[in-house]
Amino acid sequence: MDLQLNRKLEIRGICKSYRNHAILKNMSFAVENGEFLSILGPSGCGKTTLLRILIGLLPPDAGSILKDGCDITGAKPSNRGMGIVFQNYALFEHMTVLRNVEYALKFQKIPKKEARERAEHMVEAVGLKEHASKMPRNLSGGQQQRVAIARTLALKPDIVLLDEPMSALDVATRLSMRAELKALQSQFGTTMIYVTHDQEEAFALSDRIMILNSGEISQLDTPENIVRHPANAYVQTFVLDNLQAKVDSLARFIGGK
Amino acid sequence: MTMLKTMKMKKRVSANGIIQACMVLFFLFCVILPIVSMLCRITPDGLREMTQSPQFLPAVRNSLTTALTATVISMLLALAAAWCMERTRIRGRAVFGMLFVIPMLIPSISHAFGLVALFGNNGLFTKLLGWDVGIYGFWGIVVGSVMYSFPVAFLMLSGILQYEDGMTDQAARVLGIPRFRRFLGITLPYMKKTLISAFFAVFTMIVTDYGVPLMVGGKQITLSVLMYQRAVALIDYDSGSVIGACLLIPAVIAFLVDLCNPEHGQGGYVSEPVVPEKSRLSTVLSYLWCTLLSLLVLAPIFAFCMMVFQTKYPVDSTFTFEHIEKTFHRGADEYLLNSLLYALLAALFGTLLAFVCSYLTARSKGVLGKCVHLFSITSMAIPGIVLGLSYVIFFHSTPIYGTVLIVALANSVHFFASPYLMMYNTLQKVNPNLEAVGQSLGVGRFRIVRDVILPKVRYTLLEMFVYFFVNSMMTISAVSFLAPPSPKPVALMINQFEAQLLMESAAVVSLLILLINLLLKLAASLLRRNAGKE
Ligand SMILES: Nc1ncnc2c1ncn2[C@@H]1O[C@H](COP(=O)(O)OP(=O)(O)O)[C@@H](O)[C@H]1O
Ligand SMILES: [Mg+2]
């Protein structure tokens, strides 16, 4: 029973197919309150589809989604207390950074003054205070990414979904963004579901990792347990062996020094 | 154990679906059914009578020979011009580019009228130099058609040349392949699809136009002129329908070719544009060619400018405003206002319609959306005179018949495809997740369109508006069937004045249309440029 209470989100038997081609096959898992869960899988395995179903942009063919014990399967995306950050940011290009963050608050019956304050606070929290009146096109990729995150967090969702948010950034920016993302998570206490195809990123960030293989869960566990007990050959070859190869190639140089 | 609970998502009828269904109905009633009702007018008797009439076969032959010759010439001129502009180091490309497309701003009949002013019985060359080139007939039609179709071919070909991949060209250059062979072996094959599309588009445009052959055809009657004579002058809709069906054939072929041939114009990403080779000779030749072409395509416009401001063209060249005053006395000012009203209505309605349609098809999936897209580009395949006749037949007993509204409707449908495609291509490049972001943030689709998407595409919107306006100002095809006697649009006056031998007034009207269209184009491009600086 206690375990049940700690479940922020519970997914039961979600199925989705496009024209008889099954994308998600009877998928069930639970996300715990405040955790950072990564969904790791090669491109085309159905990660984006899963996120769009979770936030309600796409109806599942079968299955249900429970949040804090309530069935939200048919709820409108904006009534789920969730936010989503897309891969290509999808910023409102003709609005300043501050307006981007403030815009959606207008529709939440939040008084103007409070909305402005909250937006300013969010912009500051992602470190864009000096850029608040700039247009998105004048920002770097990492900064645009932060605007998208601030825009999502401003509505105070308790779960944030991120769809490969770093894939358009250079390596150095990615590393610093990782740290910032974790800091924002602990600051706001949000549960985060983070989609990526990068093994290293998943292992560096996550409390738990869900490894997807063509619409099915290969393994869902902590990084330590995945390394110690890979569930099957797929996890071994595509996740662990790849990571090992990276470690080995670096070790050659560091060892030789 | 997980319980498998089958969900029954209630299928809400979305606003999207309703609007899409409305669009399908719109096209059904404003494109498909009118055409079908025109085709239904064709009876076996009417068909036999028309095809066996002594005028029919010569008209088919004249149409085919003149249109084919003009298309080939137009394409060759345009290809040479596009190459000069895109592949040599010529300066003043913006100027030449503008000069080349000015002919698009006047009706085809004005080009022919300009030819008459130059080479007709009272023309400049005939009177002053004693050259009697015999402009009336085959060559008159060909030259006139080349003049107004050249800009269209030029825009299509230079557009595709701009998008050629520079890396391929560089690789070929490094391999030592000479310039001319690179053009034949790499550039032409790359342009093949566009060349085919452009060929059919230009051919269709020429074969369905009646302005030029009516003015300079002389004894050479083409199918379009025959249709005009039968359906507009004699109000014989049965034979009109037969010819209309014939004129649909090339248009349908052009449409099918385009459909099987979808990837022109947009070009996609270019890693690097082609850098023209340095060559004194080719630059000099380019200047010569572009200057010559500008003079050629603008010659009719010069001619009617002279006619407007000279006391007695071509013999007395003292300056005067008399002709302008006289033309206004003959009612040109009123007709001009009518035209502005027609154009404004068509532009407003057409832009709205094209935006809604392209939004639906570019940013949502589904069968209905595909239908709307297909309908939208189908409207391109319908020649103006055919659309006009089919509207007369279909809307004859409805209250909008004989009003300003049906003219605006016909023009919106007639010129629909290009603005629709402009917006469709723009919207496809706008981030596909914007509506989804809005949904997740609790901002409705309508607000996202208004606050985020419209500001982003506003210049495309402006361009669409200008396109509808300019074309509605100068069209004489569908309106010749549909325009009520009052208010009558000004473009129809050109033919009327010419028939009454009021040549100067016909010239004034042509010039007025040109000026208004030019002003609008300039204003739009200034707006755009200012915004670019921001
Ligand atoms: N609207 C759609 N219609 C048909 N197939 C789709 C659609 N959306 C996604 N797919 C297919 O579903 C699969 C999973 O897509 P996606 O969830 O985007 O994968 P990922 O995000 O893991 O790269 C892909 O094979 C894709 O082609
Ligand atoms: Mg994806």
Side-chain angles (χ1 to χ4, degrees):
Chain A
M1 267 311 181
D2 280 351
L3 256 175
Q4 290 276 327
L5 278 180
N6 202 26
R7 287 187 176 172
K8 189 71 194 159
L9 198 65
E10 196 177 339
I11 284 80
R12 291 186 180 162
I14 289 285
C15 296
K16 183 75 191 175
S17 44
Y18 287 115
R19 289 198 204 97
N20 301 325
H21 179 59
I23 308 290
L24 301 178
K25 302 164 189 163
N26 193 10
M27 192 177 276
S28 302
F29 62 96
V31 186
E32 278 159 37
N33 199 2
E35 102 172 304
F36 196 112
L37 175 78
S38 284
I39 299 177
L40 176 63
S43 62
C45 75
K47 306 182 296 291
T48 300
T49 308
L50 177 61
L51 280 201
R52 294 177 79 90
I53 289 175
L54 291 185
I55 190 130
L57 290 168
L58 206 63
D61 297 338
S64 54
I65 304 165
L66 277 71
K67 187 178 171 224
D68 301 316
C70 304
D71 190 326
I72 56 160
T73 321
K76 280 205 326 193
S78 53
N79 292 344
R80 298 183 175 212
M82 293 191 198
I84 186 163
V85 176
F86 286 100
Q87 185 171 5
N88 43 21
Y89 320 140
L91 295 180
F92 306 142
E93 285 178 41
H94 288 266
M95 300 181 192
T96 61
V97 168
L98 188 64
R99 281 274 294 147
N100 259 280
V101 179
E102 192 186 13
Y103 179 65
L105 297 175
K106 284 203 313 195
F107 300 93
Q108 302 290 320
K109 292 184 186 136
I110 297 171
K112 244 187 174 168
K113 190 155 161 268
E114 197 193 321
R116 171 55 59 99
E117 275 166 9
R118 204 199 283 184
E120 277 168 351
H121 176 227
M122 280 317 309
V123 170
E124 200 179 336
V126 295
L128 290 179
K129 199 175 177 194
E130 304 95 277
H131 305 286
S133 54
K134 283 193 183 165
M135 288 300 185
R137 64 171 177 278
N138 299 327
L139 300 178
S140 71
Q143 288 167 335
Q144 293 188 16
Q145 176 69 82
R146 279 177 230 171
V147 178
I149 292 173
R151 181 176 69 180
T152 307
L153 287 177
L155 286 174
K156 300 190 172 160
D158 42 14
I159 304 176
V160 172
L161 315 176
L162 301 110
D163 191 0
E164 308 200 25
M166 316 276 189
S167 59
L169 304 179
D170 60 83
V171 181
T173 316
R174 266 190 224 188
L175 285 178
S176 64
M177 280 300 291
R178 278 186 201 172
E180 278 184 46
L181 198 60
K182 289 292 272 189
L184 284 171
Q185 191 204 10
S186 52
Q187 185 184 343
F188 293 95
T190 22
T191 307
M192 286 194 172
I193 301 180
Y194 184 95
V195 158
T196 178
H197 62 251
D198 182 336
Q199 297 92 352
E200 195 195 329
E201 209 165 77
F203 277 81
L205 280 168
S206 320
D207 299 321
R208 287 193 305 158
I209 301 174
M210 180 166 113
I211 295 166
L212 270 192
N213 180 17
S214 55
E216 284 173 307
I217 302 176
S218 274
Q219 191 168 9
L220 170 54
D221 215 329
T222 59
E224 293 81 13
N225 284 347
I226 289 175
V227 173
R228 270 194 220 117
H229 315 287
N232 50 36
Y234 177 79
V235 176
Q236 181 64 47
T237 48
F238 286 97
V239 184
L240 298 183
D241 289 356
N242 274 337
L243 273 180
Q244 190 62 50
K246 264 188 195 164
V247 173
D248 287 349
S249 65
L250 282 177
R252 274 214 323 247
F253 299 106
I254 297 163
K257 214 172 173 185
Chain B
M1 278 302 297
T2 35
M3 280 274 294
L4 237 179
K5 195 174 96 192
T6 332
M7 279 280 313
K8 269 191 191 147
M9 288 288 288
K10 261 192 206 160
K11 270 220 161 164
R12 272 181 300 139
V13 185
S14 61
N16 225 5
I18 295 174
I19 303 177
Q20 279 185 345
C22 287
M23 285 295 160
V24 172
L25 281 180
F26 175 83
F27 281 109
L28 195 65
F29 277 94
C30 295
V31 181
I32 309 291
L33 288 180
I35 295 291
V36 169
S37 71
M38 185 196 81
L39 294 178
C40 287
R41 279 294 279 240
I42 302 173
T43 56
D45 283 344
L47 190 66
R48 199 173 318 118
E49 193 206 328
M50 186 69 238
T51 49
Q52 285 173 2
S53 85
Q55 289 159 308
F56 185 75
L57 277 182
V60 172
R61 195 166 351 115
N62 289 340
S63 274
L64 286 178
T65 49
T66 51
L68 265 180
T69 316
T71 307
V72 170
I73 296 177
S74 197
M75 291 285 291
L76 288 176
L77 296 185
L79 185 61
W83 187 83
C84 290
M85 297 279 279
E86 301 299 333
R87 292 291 180 274
T88 65
R89 305 209 165 180
I90 177 173
R91 281 197 217 148
R93 290 172 57 209
V95 176
F96 282 122
M98 213 178 67
L99 291 180
F100 285 160
V101 295
I102 282 181
M104 283 176 98
L105 303 179
I106 54 171
S108 60
I109 202 165
S110 296
H111 291 274
F113 178 73
L115 278 184
V116 171
L118 289 172
F119 299 105
N121 294 335
N122 275 316
L124 184 68
F125 288 92
T126 328
K127 270 273 155 79
L128 292 189
L129 303 175
W131 290 2
D132 192 359
V133 289
I135 192 69
Y136 298 100
F138 179 83
W139 285 107
I141 302 178
V142 169
V143 173
S145 303
V146 166
M147 281 175 169
Y148 78 84
S149 64
F150 164 79
V152 177
F154 169 74
L155 282 184
M156 287 178 88
L157 299 186
S158 67
I160 191 75
L161 271 183
Q162 267 170 21
Y163 284 112
E164 195 185 6
D165 183 7
M167 298 308 282
T168 320
D169 187 72
Q170 272 177 23
R173 202 187 289 186
V174 172
L175 290 172
I177 302 169
R179 197 175 190 185
F180 185 61
R181 297 308 296 260
R182 285 204 309 270
F183 182 73
L184 287 186
I186 300 168
T187 308
L188 274 188
Y190 155 78
M191 294 173 74
K192 198 176 96 194
K193 288 187 166 185
T194 306
L195 283 172
I196 295 172
S197 290
F199 184 90
F200 278 97
V202 169
F203 180 82
T204 310
M205 190 176 161
I206 293 175
V207 86
T208 59
D209 167 71
Y210 75 84
V212 170
L214 190 68
M215 185 76 82
V216 293
K219 292 201 185 72
Q220 298 249 351
I221 305 279
T222 63
L223 269 182
S224 47
V225 172
L226 194 59
M227 175 158 174
Y228 176 77
Q229 288 174 346
R230 292 290 175 97
V232 178
L234 301 177
I235 321 187
D236 174 1
Y237 294 157
D238 291 327
S239 11
S241 300
V242 174
I243 308 172
C246 296
L247 289 181
L248 265 179
I249 297 170
V252 169
I253 295 176
F255 170 70
L256 290 178
V257 166
D258 232 32
L259 206 62
C260 310
N261 209 357
E263 58 176 274
H264 67 82
Q266 309 167 33
Y269 296 98
V270 189
S271 51
E272 219 175 288
V274 176
V275 182
E277 216 168 296
K278 243 187 211 156
S279 150
R280 171 72 56 82
L281 180 67
S282 71
T283 313
V284 170
L285 283 179
S286 283
Y287 278 121
L288 281 177
W289 179 243
C290 290
T291 314
L292 189 70
L293 263 183
S294 311
L295 287 178
L296 273 180
V297 293
L298 294 177
I301 296 174
F302 290 135
F304 60 70
C305 284
M306 286 199 289
M307 206 177 237
V308 167
F309 295 110
Q310 289 186 2
T311 310
K312 181 130 182 55
Y313 172 88
V315 280
D316 180 358
S317 63
T318 43
F319 184 85
T320 178
F321 278 125
E322 187 194 323
H323 303 307
I324 299 181
E325 272 171 38
K326 272 190 187 155
T327 311
F328 277 89
H329 274 301
R330 293 183 181 119
D333 48 351
E334 187 197 322
Y335 294 123
L336 189 65
L337 282 180
N338 296 342
S339 269
L340 290 175
L341 172 74
Y342 280 123
L344 190 68
L345 269 180
L348 286 175
F349 181 64
T351 308
L352 178 73
L353 192 71
F355 177 77
V356 174
C357 262
S358 51
Y359 179 80
L360 289 178
T361 53
R363 295 185 76 83
S364 50
K365 299 183 185 85
V367 186
L368 272 184
K370 290 226 171 68
C371 282
V372 174
H373 184 67
L374 201 66
F375 278 152
S376 302
I377 38 182
T378 308
S379 65
M380 182 152 44
I382 303 167
I385 32 175
V386 178
L387 192 72
L389 179 60
S390 61
Y391 267 39
V392 171
I393 293 170
F394 186 71
F395 288 106
H396 195 75
S397 49
T398 60
I400 61 165
Y401 185 74
T403 66
V404 181
L405 289 181
I406 195 166
V407 179
L409 183 69
N411 284 344
S412 313
V413 170
H414 183 194
F415 302 117
F416 186 78
S418 290
Y420 165 81
L421 284 175
M422 287 175 200
M423 188 48 95
Y424 181 83
N425 290 333
T426 308
L427 282 175
Q428 278 201 323
K429 287 182 205 126
V430 174
N431 193 310
N433 286 328
L434 283 175
E435 285 90 343
V437 163
Q439 257 180 295
S440 77
L441 296 173
V443 185
R445 180 186 282 265
F446 178 75
R447 300 298 300 247
I448 291 286
V449 170
R450 204 191 68 182
D451 296 346
V452 182
I453 294 180
L454 274 183
K456 193 166 163 57
V457 302
R458 62 189 191 278
Y459 290 109
T460 311
L461 223 49
L462 180 71
E463 213 176 317
M464 292 160 74
F465 182 90
V466 170
Y467 184 91
F468 275 115
F469 194 97
V470 164
N471 281 290
S472 303
M473 273 308 284
M474 62 190 215
T475 183
I476 54 169
S477 56
V479 289
S480 62
F481 291 89
L482 296 170
S486 156
K488 191 175 190 155
V490 74
L492 291 180
M493 301 301 296
I494 299 172
N495 193 15
Q496 195 172 318
F497 281 136
E498 200 260 354
Q500 297 167 351
L501 294 178
L502 301 169
M503 306 300 264
E504 287 83 5
S505 292
V508 171
V509 171
S510 298
L511 195 61
L512 275 177
I513 295 177
L514 175 66
L515 278 182
I516 287 174
N517 284 345
L518 207 56
L519 277 179
L520 194 68
K521 278 264 182 196
L522 281 179
S525 67
L526 277 183
L527 264 177
R528 222 191 163 122
R529 183 165 308 167
N530 276 348
K533 274 183 199 153
E534 263 174 25

